[in-house]
Every structure is written in structure tokens, then in C-alpha cells.
Amino acid sequence: MRSRSLPWALGLLALSCARAPSSSTSGAASLEAPAFSSANPFAQPSSLQYLAPQFNRIRNPDYRSAIEEGMRRQLQEVDTIARQTSEPTFETTIVALERT
């Protein structure tokens, strides 16, 4: 009997921990990220060891705009691969997708 009640207890615990989305969000999540520009610390390759970013220059809004720009570029590369007019091959599809 005890082993059967464990999944139910865990399920109820998970449900009780979940929060319903609120219509009035506050904090950093509701802030609009600035447009991605060359001023963003993630816009240029780092000159530091291991290409580590200069953390002292990064602000919280920089992450969102850089991530969104990266996703935009990734989707553009995938779209370019998908729109090829040549016959698809392993090199022009799988390898190309792995490089994106």
C-alpha cells in the first residue's frame, strides 16, 4: 500500500509547488531587453583566455538580447539550408546543420 501512495504524494507535492501564472509580472522578467547592438558584451569575440566574456561589462538585459539574436541567426542559417535548390545530401543537410 505504501508504494502505491508514493507516486500520488509526489504528484500532489508537485502540484502544490506549481504557481499559476500571474497577470501582473514584476521584476526583470517584465523588462524589455534593449535591441542587440555592438555595445552588447556578447557582440564581439572576447580577447580573454578561453574566449570568456568580460563579466564586469555584462548587465542582465544583455543576456536576453544576445540570446534572442543568437536564436534569430540560428533560424536564419537553418532556413538557408532548408531552402537549398540543389539535391539534398548528407554534406548539405546534416553536416551543414551541425555547423550552425
Side-chain angles (χ1 to χ4, degrees):
M1 179 82 171
R2 183 176 172 187
S3 63
R4 289 185 189 174
S5 61
L6 182 61
W8 283 97
L10 291 175
L12 288 174
L13 178 63
L15 283 174
S16 66
C17 292
R19 292 189 293 174
S22 173
S23 61
S24 61
T25 56
S26 62
S30 64
L31 296 176
E32 179 103 8
F36 188 75
S37 70
S38 61
N40 188 306
F42 295 110
Q44 304 297 324
S46 174
S47 61
L48 298 177
Q49 184 179 14
Y50 306 116
L51 299 175
Q54 295 181 0
F55 291 105
N56 60 332
R57 292 186 50 218
I58 300 171
R59 298 170 304 143
N60 284 341
D62 294 331
Y63 288 103
R64 182 173 179 177
S65 61
I67 290 169
E68 288 176 351
E69 176 65 15
M71 289 188 300
R72 186 192 67 76
R73 290 180 185 182
Q74 177 84 24
L75 289 172
Q76 187 177 25
E77 291 176 12
V78 170
D79 188 54
T80 301
I81 294 166
R83 292 181 183 267
Q84 291 183 79
T85 57
S86 62
E87 184 175 342
T89 65
F90 186 81
E91 286 293 319
T92 62
T93 55
I94 305 301
V95 174
L97 286 171
E98 286 293 319
R99 288 185 182 144
T100 64

